[in-house]
Amino acid sequence: MKRIFVTRRLPEPVEARFARSFDVTMNVGDRRLSSADVVAACDGMDALVINTSERLDAAAVAGLPPSLKAVGTYSVGHEHLDLDALRARGIPVVYTPDVLSASVADNAMLLMLGAARRAREGQALIVEGRWKGWGPRQLIGTEVTGKRLGIFGMGRIGREIAGRARAFDMEIGYHNRRPLEAGAGLYFADEREFLSRSDILVIAAPASPETRYWLNAERIVRLPQGALVVNIARGSLVDDDALTAAVESGHLAGAGLDVFDGEPDVHPAYLRLERIYVQPHIGSSTLETRLAMAEHVISGLEALFAGRNPPNRLV
Ligand code: 8YV
């Protein structure tokens, strides 16, 4: 059996699944590993299974032992890996596209509805024992039905979100580098036009140097008064100061966020702004998806070890 090091504890059935195919060494205590820790743990391993909570930059890739023949990232995002350095070292990488799109899209709807219907405030009212009973002025929210949804980054996950939003009779618009096939939604090449018609903006684009702090004050001001912002991608796409200021000023009615810049630290305003519905990066956290992600990584690594080219190969 090939030897693999897995950087994080996975749900029990997922760990059991890995153990059926590989000789697994776990990060037993599940403590946060530095790049140097990851490199050291790869000693004598045939493959590394990494998560987005650990980084492999060029220096770390240079330090990987000669035994290491492949990397599988238990994620669709890959900004934590220096792919060029891995390519240069001839270490192939597999990842987990598609299998988590439905779960992440479900979570996008949760965040959208949570922000629109002020779920954080309602939850707090009850669990803190402050609810005085029904009233017609209580927690007036925003309707999502019939609204104009703007998807920034219409990829696999964006399409799943659009499918769900259609059931809410939402008008789907998107901004991408290129238009997709007819029927995907209204394509906006012009970013300003896209923003000005997005009653609800969903950020679903990958993190990259180009998308860093994409949602800044200049772009937020283009959104209609009372708009909602949802981020299921990466925290680095949002300028937290600008977003929280826009919620405080009332320009935005609220936001729903699953991801944060500098996780697990969050901007202090997210601790107090009740119109911002937050979740701790749980987009793909369902057992079904976690198992499917494992199958993707396992089949990818097995194919690489057998000298084949798996469809989920990144590098
Ligand atoms: C994962 C994610 O749960 O796959 C991704 O890119 O952001 C998450 O859905 C997590 O990153 C696992 O490594």
Side-chain angles (χ1 to χ4, degrees):
M1 265 189 176
K2 297 289 184 191
R3 296 193 65 192
I4 66 168
F5 175 66
V6 182
T7 61
R8 298 301 304 270
R9 293 307 300 265
L10 304 169
E12 230 168 79
V14 179
E15 290 187 352
R17 176 63 191 90
F18 269 102
R20 288 211 302 277
S21 297
F22 298 106
D23 175 0
V24 183
T25 302
M26 300 295 312
N27 169 15
V28 179
D30 203 33
R31 71 179 173 87
R32 271 188 100 183
L33 300 179
S34 67
S35 302
D37 294 331
V38 174
V39 169
C42 286
D43 196 31
M45 297 293 154
D46 297 294
L48 164 68
V49 175
I50 194 166
N51 287 267
T52 52
S53 41
E54 300 80 43
R55 302 192 64 74
L56 275 188
D57 57 14
V61 170
L64 289 171
S67 66
L68 200 89
K69 298 292 184 291
V71 171
T73 186
Y74 193 69
S75 64
V76 65
H78 46 77
E79 72 288 345
H80 55 300
L81 303 174
D82 189 326
L83 296 182
D84 291 335
L86 285 156
R87 191 178 291 114
R89 270 212 57 184
I91 300 177
V93 179
V94 292
Y95 74 139
T96 67
D98 300 312
V99 290
L100 45 63
S101 303
S103 168
V104 175
D106 286 353
N107 194 47
M109 299 312 288
L110 171 70
L111 295 167
M112 190 187 300
L113 292 165
R117 302 306 296 269
R118 304 174 58 180
R120 177 170 167 173
E121 291 159 273
Q123 189 80 17
L125 208 55
I126 292 183
V127 300
E128 292 167 14
R130 291 186 284 109
W131 190 37
K132 299 281 183 280
W134 184 86
R137 290 187 157 193
Q138 169 181 277
L139 289 177
I140 302 301
T142 305
E143 195 130 330
V144 305
T145 301
K147 288 284 157 61
R148 297 169 301 175
L149 177 67
I151 300 178
F152 175 62
M154 186 72 132
R156 288 174 282 250
I157 295 172
R159 286 171 188 267
E160 289 284 330
I161 296 169
R164 284 156 179 72
R166 283 192 186 96
F168 286 82
D169 291 330
M170 299 180 87
E171 243 180 65
I172 317 295
Y174 66 97
H175 178 66
N176 262 11
R177 255 171 276 168
R178 279 176 297 279
L180 304 173
E181 76 288 347
L186 276 175
Y187 174 63
F188 291 89
D190 183 77
E191 202 180 72
R192 289 183 174 195
E193 206 187 326
F194 165 71
L195 291 168
S196 67
R197 59 77 64 199
S198 294
D199 299 316
I200 301 177
L201 172 71
V202 175
I203 301 174
S208 70
E210 296 75 47
T211 58
R212 187 157 185 79
Y213 301 142
W214 174 78
L215 190 66
N216 56 16
E218 292 76 56
R219 289 190 173 94
I220 289 173
V221 87
R222 306 259 165 218
L223 291 167
Q225 171 73 31
L228 298 169
V229 169
V230 170
N231 187 8
I232 50 89
R234 287 289 182 263
S236 65
L237 277 90
V238 170
D239 174 342
D240 290 328
D241 284 332
L243 180 70
T244 54
V247 170
E248 276 188 298
S249 74
H251 177 62
L252 295 178
L257 308 175
D258 185 49
V259 285
F260 300 89
D261 195 24
E263 288 173 21
D265 298 329
V266 301
H267 190 288
Y270 293 136
L271 305 183
R272 62 181 168 79
L273 287 177
E274 287 198 300
R275 290 293 189 107
I276 304 186
Y277 179 63
V278 287
Q279 289 288 354
H281 199 150
I282 55 150
S284 60
S285 302
T286 64
L287 187 56
E288 294 90 334
T289 290
R290 289 279 179 259
L291 282 165
M293 289 166 77
E295 290 301 337
H296 238 17
V297 170
I298 291 167
S299 61
L301 291 178
E302 284 179 340
L304 291 173
F305 286 130
R308 287 182 279 111
N309 211 12
N312 60 329
R313 182 171 176 172
L314 256 180
V315 160

